[in-house]
Amino acid sequence: MDNHTSNFIKDIMIKDLESGKHEKIITRFPPEPNGYLHIGHAKSIIINFGLADDFNGKTNLRFDDTNPLKEDIEYVNSIKEDVKWLGFEWDDLFFASDYFEEMYKRAVLLIKKGLAYVDDLSADEIREYRGTLTEPGKESPYRDRSIEENLDLFERMRNGEFANGEKVLRAKIDMKSPNINLRDPVIYRISHATHHNTGDKWCIYPMYAFAHPLEDAIEDVTHSICTVEFEDQRPLYNWVVEQCEMKSQPQQIEFGRLNVTNTVMSKRKLKQLVDEGFVDGWDDPRMPTISGMRRKGFTPESIRNFVRETGVSKGSGAVDSQMLEHFVREDLKLKVPRTMGILNPLKVVITNYPEGQIELLDAEINPEVPEMGMRKIPFSREIYIEQDDFMENPPSKYFRLFPGNEVRLKHAYFIKCEEVVKNENGEVVELRCTYDPQTKSGTGFTGRKVKGTIHWVEATNAVPAEFRLYEPLILDKTEEDNDEDKTFLDHVNPHSLEILQGYVEPNMRDVMPQDKFQFFRHGYFNVDPKHTTVNKLVFNRIVSLKSSFKL
Ligand code: ATP
Ligand code: MG
């Protein structure tokens, strides 16, 4: 695995090793199993695993599963699969829910130290009492309960004597703190819900701000890397670690989230797209999820290279989605076979080619990589070409087929359009052409030149295939569009998927799900693992060939 170039987090780690503060770097990737991972998580994975790797340290995969309502084992399994697929191996696998007993004890310790209390205020009242950035908060009337009463009530909360929302446990810090996070944050709430790991054992659950620092400290994490939204929570993180008297004292370090243009990067929003049927699941190829990108045909290498290029910093501007496409083109260019596929077929009959004859033409599998060898492509009297490689009345500078014009068929012969066959609606349904045997590709023919080269597939052996072409799922706001009432769902692109029925070369008959190809002139495609069956080939376009994007 290639390592990180220098960045501010790496510098901190180097210092901590040199000063002897730590002997070994321990990081963790801590997803909440409430959705599938997206490309933003890939950044967190690469930073956490990559940095630990740089120093021969270790990285845990820890499920931050402290909210039973939203979490599910399906998500746990998909997250494990995605982390592995991206090319990372965790050292230990942990569930935050396995620490519930330990967390409970630490909360009891806070109560005993007079640093936590049971509050009967409602959620709305707590919010009201909290104050604002400009106004200090107000103390709850329950703030001065005795330690004995708090211990008793907290135990009864655990025993299920109260309904959801009836009571919470709060840390007793400072209602006047300029940092709102320190104004007696709620650290436990009641939720009578079944948890995917602990079942019905608990009906009180720790809040993220209390649980996360304890999880890190329990695992001896040295550097707890998170995104910048948590910067204001750092004083609370440190307070929890210190007041709960944890042996290890992890250091929280924040970096800027990854955002990419023309997509959304939040599990909540992605779940909405799934639940409301905008896409056909978390792994829909239009989704920025790891599973969606895998199904579309992205490789782990392309995702890793992209993320590394975005760097590690505190800032978080949106990265152009074309940069992602650039990296997958670069990765596939020399790896995958080239082939021909017809997305919108138009039948061509070559009238002077012997009936019943099929010849096998030679073509390189990838001309940029001769070691990949050669393939045979059948050619006969009937072929398919693309509908838009023919125009009956072309504009000037149109060099493909039109009546009387000659073009080169890639790997084959020159053909000339002699006659256009139409149906009763006047639509072109077939072309009748002639070929010139002397012009066979690879024979060094120099007699005359043609300006256009088009691709084709021999008709009698062609394999039917479905092609799925994608456009961005979400269209970013334009300058004119300043309607603040619009939600991201109003920006869903209604034309994000186009499905075409065409043909591929006969040697594609045995391709396997996730096999990747470059189709001449059309771009890179992946064999769709969900819709491909023994009887039906489905290709997802990963990316077209050309881009204006420059790194
Ligand atoms: P989301 O908002 O999509 O639900 P999250 O932050 O709630 O994301 P978690 O499961 O808590 O999701 O995330 C696990 C780790 O991944 C966290 O450390 C989080 O900071 C990081 N992460 C999430 N989104 C991004 C992103 N866009 N860029 C970088 N890191 C991210
Ligand atoms: Mg979250």
Side-chain angles (χ1 to χ4, degrees):
M1 194 112 333
D2 20 358
N3 293 339
H4 282 276
T5 51
S6 90
N7 65 56
F8 76 99
I9 303 179
K10 192 168 178 173
D11 293 342
I12 293 172
M13 291 177 169
I14 291 171
K15 250 196 1 234
D16 289 348
L17 288 170
E18 281 173 359
S19 72
K21 182 177 175 193
H22 300 296
E23 275 172 21
K24 190 181 176 96
I25 301 295
I26 304 178
T27 62
R28 86 287 174 259
F29 172 61
E32 182 178 0
N34 61 350
Y36 282 60
L37 297 182
H38 52 60
I39 176 97
H41 294 111
K43 178 153 192 162
S44 176
I45 291 170
I46 287 168
I47 292 176
N48 279 296
F49 283 86
L51 284 171
D53 242 30
D54 283 345
F55 299 105
N56 280 317
K58 77 176 230 187
T59 304
N60 301 329
L61 173 60
R62 179 213 307 147
F63 288 101
D64 206 339
D65 55 349
T66 55
N67 183 0
L69 290 179
K70 294 191 186 154
E71 295 159 4
D72 199 281
I73 193 76
E74 174 194 350
Y75 300 134
V76 169
N77 292 332
S78 74
I79 290 169
K80 287 194 214 166
E81 181 184 357
D82 288 350
V83 172
K84 281 192 233 162
W85 179 78
L86 279 171
F88 298 96
E89 276 174 56
W90 52 87
D91 288 274
D92 285 309
L93 178 68
F94 293 123
F95 289 86
S97 53
D98 287 339
Y99 311 143
F100 281 165
E101 191 64 49
E102 169 83 26
M103 291 175 187
Y104 179 82
K105 285 193 189 133
R106 300 288 164 173
V108 169
L109 174 65
L110 288 184
I111 296 174
K112 287 185 176 159
K113 291 166 80 174
L115 292 175
Y117 61 98
V118 173
D119 197 350
D120 297 1
L121 290 184
S122 68
D124 285 341
E125 289 166 325
I126 289 178
R127 201 171 309 120
E128 253 170 65
Y129 276 59
R130 185 174 295 136
T132 62
L133 283 175
T134 49
E135 281 169 68
K138 263 193 333 201
E139 295 185 353
S140 163
Y142 303 97
R143 196 174 198 262
D144 291 319
R145 275 178 163 149
S146 68
I147 289 174
E148 290 67 34
E149 190 183 1
N150 281 318
L151 286 172
D152 176 58
L153 287 172
F154 189 48
E155 190 177 347
R156 288 166 59 195
M157 280 169 66
R158 174 183 184 162
N159 292 340
E161 290 186 31
F162 307 110
N164 291 354
E166 215 178 313
K167 288 186 167 32
V168 292
L169 184 72
R170 298 178 71 175
K172 194 173 189 175
I173 310 180
D174 178 4
M175 288 307 292
K176 298 193 173 55
S177 171
N179 183 334
I180 294 181
N181 295 292
L182 295 177
R183 293 183 190 168
D184 292 9
V186 173
I187 59 176
Y188 263 92
R189 69 192 187 292
I190 299 170
S191 175
H192 292 272
T194 304
H195 187 279
H196 78 96
N197 183 27
T198 56
D200 293 321
K201 180 160 184 226
W202 293 88
C203 62
I204 55 169
Y205 291 93
M207 303 298 286
Y208 178 89
F210 178 67
H212 204 86
L214 294 182
E215 294 159 23
D216 287 340
I218 289 167
E219 292 169 16
D220 293 328
V221 165
T222 55
H223 300 83
S224 172
I225 301 167
C226 63
T227 43
V228 281
E229 329 73 276
F230 293 99
E231 197 159 19
D232 290 344
Q233 293 219 21
R234 197 186 328 139
L236 177 56
Y237 182 103
N238 292 336
W239 185 93
V240 170
V241 170
E242 192 190 329
Q243 297 304 338
C244 289
E245 301 176 13
M246 304 305 290
K247 271 211 305 290
S248 279
Q249 301 192 335
Q251 179 184 359
Q252 176 179 308
I253 306 171
E254 311 85 14
F255 70 95
R257 293 175 84 81
L258 173 66
N259 287 304
V260 178
T261 59
N262 287 309
T263 191
V264 285
M265 201 81 86
S266 134
K267 279 181 285 189
R268 186 179 56 78
K269 290 180 179 169
L270 296 173
K271 184 166 189 318
Q272 219 176 329
L273 290 168
V274 174
D275 290 345
E276 297 183 25
F278 287 96
V279 293
D280 86 353
W282 285 94
D283 66 347
D284 186 297
R286 292 166 289 181
M287 294 279 272
T289 51
I290 303 303
S291 53
M293 294 177 72
R294 171 167 64 235
R295 202 178 135 199
K296 194 174 183 187
F298 279 87
T299 55
E301 292 82 355
S302 63
I303 294 175
R304 293 200 302 259
N305 291 339
F306 164 77
V307 167
R308 293 214 169 92
E309 181 67 28
T310 65
V312 181
S313 72
K314 290 262 184 192
S316 54
V319 179
D320 194 333
S321 55
Q322 290 192 51
M323 185 163 129
L324 200 45
E325 300 186 343
H326 164 86
F327 278 102
V328 74
R329 271 190 209 99
E330 283 301 301
D331 187 43
L332 295 179
K333 192 165 66 182
L334 303 180
K335 277 188 190 167
V336 304
R338 307 212 177 158
T339 185
M340 296 192 286
I342 301 295
L343 278 50
N344 284 299
L346 173 62
K347 174 75 85 60
V348 171
V349 177
I350 300 162
T351 53
N352 61 340
Y353 195 88
E355 230 159 306
Q357 175 175 315
I358 292 196
E359 75 181 288
L360 291 174
L361 302 171
D362 293 310
E364 285 139 320
I365 289 174
N366 185 333
E368 292 186 55
V369 190
E371 308 86 78
M372 287 175 82
M374 305 291 289
R375 73 181 194 278
K376 298 273 187 205
I377 323 172
F379 182 78
S380 81
R381 187 180 156 88
E382 292 193 2
I383 62 173
Y384 293 113
I385 65 166
E386 294 292 348
Q387 281 171 21
D388 65 7
D389 281 337
F390 170 78
M391 280 184 95
E392 194 168 13
N393 299 298
S396 61
K397 302 257 164 85
Y398 184 86
F399 299 121
R400 290 168 277 166
L401 269 184
F402 53 87
N405 192 43
E406 192 173 43
V407 297
R408 178 196 305 276
L409 293 177
K410 179 79 176 166
H411 304 304
Y413 299 95
F414 291 6
I415 57 168
K416 185 173 176 186
C417 178
E418 310 282 358
E419 194 189 335
V420 180
V421 183
K422 296 182 184 176
N423 63 14
E424 59 270 29
N425 300 325
E427 295 154 357
V428 177
V429 291
E430 189 179 297
L431 302 179
R432 300 181 77 78
C433 298
T434 51
Y435 87 117
D436 178 352
Q438 286 190 76
T439 59
K440 185 169 176 174
S441 174
T443 57
F445 173 76
T446 52
R448 62 187 183 280
K449 288 210 155 62
V450 289
K451 284 202 167 138
T453 298
I454 66 173
H455 61 279
W456 54 278
V457 170
E458 196 273 325
T460 53
N461 290 289
V463 179
E466 178 172 302
F467 298 92
R468 296 178 167 228
L469 310 185
Y470 301 98
E471 293 293 330
L473 183 59
I474 306 286
L475 299 171
D476 284 345
K477 266 194 186 169
T478 57
E479 296 288 325
E480 307 88 72
D481 182 11
N482 278 320
D483 186 348
E484 291 302 329
D485 291 339
K486 282 193 174 176
T487 72
F488 81 100
L489 290 176
D490 296 310
H491 293 275
V492 171
N493 178 2
H495 308 293
S496 57
L497 169 63
E498 184 184 9
I499 299 183
L500 301 169
Q501 308 295 336
Y503 296 99
V504 294
E505 293 180 24
N507 52 31
M508 298 287 278
R509 207 176 289 277
D510 299 323
V511 299
M512 299 296 284
Q514 296 294 124
D515 282 353
K516 294 166 186 56
F517 300 91
Q518 186 196 110
F519 282 103
F520 185 63
R521 296 166 75 208
H522 286 306
Y524 293 94
F525 288 72
N526 185 46
V527 179
D528 186 276
K530 206 158 171 174
H531 296 301
T532 295
T533 63
V534 273
N535 299 315
K536 188 177 174 201
L537 271 178
V538 178
F539 290 94
N540 294 320
R541 178 149 73 185
I542 310 167
V543 65
S544 62
L545 286 179
K546 286 232 164 52
S547 147
S548 50
F549 186 79
K550 286 270 177 301
L551 203 61

